Amino acid sequence: MNLTTLAAEEADYKSGSLPVALYPNAMRREKDERQTFYARPIIREHLTMDDIASDMVVAGVNGGMTREQIVSIWKNINCAVLDRVANSCAVDTGLCRCSTRITGSFERDNEEFSRKRHSIGMAFHTSRTVHEKLNELNVVIRQGNSIRPQIADVRDLESDSSEFLTPGGFLEITGSNLALLGEDESVGLYFENEDNPEKTVVLSAKKMGTNSASKLACVVPATLAEGSYRIKVVTQFTRTRVQRKEPQSFTFDRPLLVASA
């Protein structure tokens, strides 16, 4: 933890880099058929002013004040800033410059403000100091396209292993972005037979006992023939309520064996 970001001393970022995930830019591909990606920081944790005040106490930059005192002063400062902004002032907090903004269009140059068509909000403009400090951060693509499904482990509970499949037994798959979601006919959990694709079996979301982003659980199809199988997930799942347009797939890196009785 470093609390000298806005101080004269050079900040130390060795404790971590900014984690970033890449997402496909669908609009760009529809425009000229080129696949590009846009970046979003991966939020490690959501904090409140109570948490920041606790950081200050732990780091010893609290000036002898308790966490409660820091939070109380912070609330008073926020009230004072809001009062000034509401009175048409622009306030520079060191982190940003705050001011009011009006949204909504006006059809005439003398049209009056209407709360049905217009709204008042607050605009934040990042300060030069913050820009300079953030530009010193290292960026690490930790998850790449983070909405792509990732299988970390496949476990057959009957044999308690990641090497075998037991037809009629129970299977657990763990990872990230696994939830089977989407109306595309390809969405499902695939048991792909490596020797004969015609023996591949696909289970839909309705067949899942557990269907979440981090875990899939189901009964292994009793109709699986002997052979070597690859587990594959195909889904249109995203972390929002809107399903992605095109399904994404991920195949587990190790084959699982269905042996004879």
Side-chain angles (χ1 to χ4, degrees):
M1 179 176 61
N2 188 294
L3 296 176
T4 64
T5 304
L6 296 179
E9 296 85 355
E10 184 177 353
D12 177 12
Y13 298 112
K14 293 181 180 179
S15 59
S17 298
L18 184 67
V20 170
L22 301 182
Y23 297 83
N25 190 333
M27 294 181 63
R28 176 61 186 268
R29 185 168 56 184
E30 292 175 358
K31 182 179 179 180
D32 55 15
E33 297 185 352
R34 289 183 57 190
Q35 180 64 75
T36 59
F37 298 83
Y38 63 92
R40 281 184 182 173
I42 301 170
I43 303 301
R44 288 186 170 120
E45 192 174 0
H46 292 273
L47 303 176
T48 66
M49 293 306 162
D50 286 319
D51 300 312
I52 302 302
S54 296
D55 288 346
M56 294 174 66
V57 172
V58 172
V61 295
N62 54 323
M65 293 185 292
T66 65
R67 179 182 62 81
E68 291 76 14
Q69 289 173 324
I70 296 173
V71 172
S72 177
I73 293 174
W74 213 318
K75 289 180 179 178
N76 289 334
I77 292 174
N78 284 343
C79 289
V81 170
L82 180 58
D83 182 70
R84 283 290 195 170
V85 170
N87 282 279
S88 198
C89 295
V91 179
D92 190 342
T93 68
L95 291 175
C96 63
R97 187 175 71 253
C98 309
S99 59
T100 51
R101 67 174 179 179
I102 305 296
T103 57
S105 60
F106 292 78
E107 297 180 356
R108 303 184 308 276
D109 59 5
N110 62 348
E111 181 181 353
E112 294 185 355
F113 177 87
S114 170
R115 297 194 182 279
K116 292 183 179 180
R117 298 183 55 194
H118 314 114
S119 63
I120 304 175
M122 185 177 288
F124 300 89
H125 301 280
T126 308
S127 71
R128 179 181 298 178
T129 302
V130 171
H131 274 299
E132 292 174 352
K133 292 300 180 181
L134 293 181
N135 283 333
E136 296 174 14
L137 282 171
N138 292 321
V139 174
V140 176
I141 308 299
R142 294 194 181 279
Q143 298 185 16
N145 176 10
S146 67
I147 56 176
R148 180 188 174 100
Q150 299 282 338
I151 298 176
D153 188 38
V154 175
R155 183 152 296 273
D156 179 80
L157 298 188
E158 187 70 22
S159 61
D160 191 26
S161 76
S162 298
E163 300 177 3
F164 300 97
L165 287 173
T166 305
F170 205 64
L171 186 70
E172 284 189 349
I173 302 170
T174 55
S176 58
N177 306 311
L178 295 177
L180 300 184
L181 174 70
E183 299 177 357
D184 192 277
E185 60 181 11
S186 66
V187 171
L189 176 63
Y190 288 67
F191 295 79
E192 293 186 324
N193 190 292
E194 291 192 302
D195 300 320
N196 187 350
E198 293 183 0
K199 295 182 179 179
T200 293
V201 178
V202 185
L203 297 184
S204 66
K206 295 180 180 179
K207 298 289 186 178
M208 297 297 108
T210 300
N211 186 19
S212 69
S214 60
K215 178 186 288 188
L216 298 177
C218 65
V219 175
V220 178
T223 56
L224 287 187
E226 289 184 39
S228 180
Y229 289 83
R230 294 275 184 172
I231 301 298
K232 182 174 75 172
V233 171
V234 178
T235 181
Q236 291 172 279
F237 170 79
T238 66
R239 294 179 181 178
T240 67
R241 295 182 179 180
V242 181
Q243 67 183 27
R244 62 180 303 121
K245 291 183 178 180
E246 295 186 5
Q248 288 285 317
S249 66
F250 186 89
T251 302
F252 191 50
D253 58 0
R254 297 194 302 273
L256 285 80
L257 182 66
V258 174
S260 62

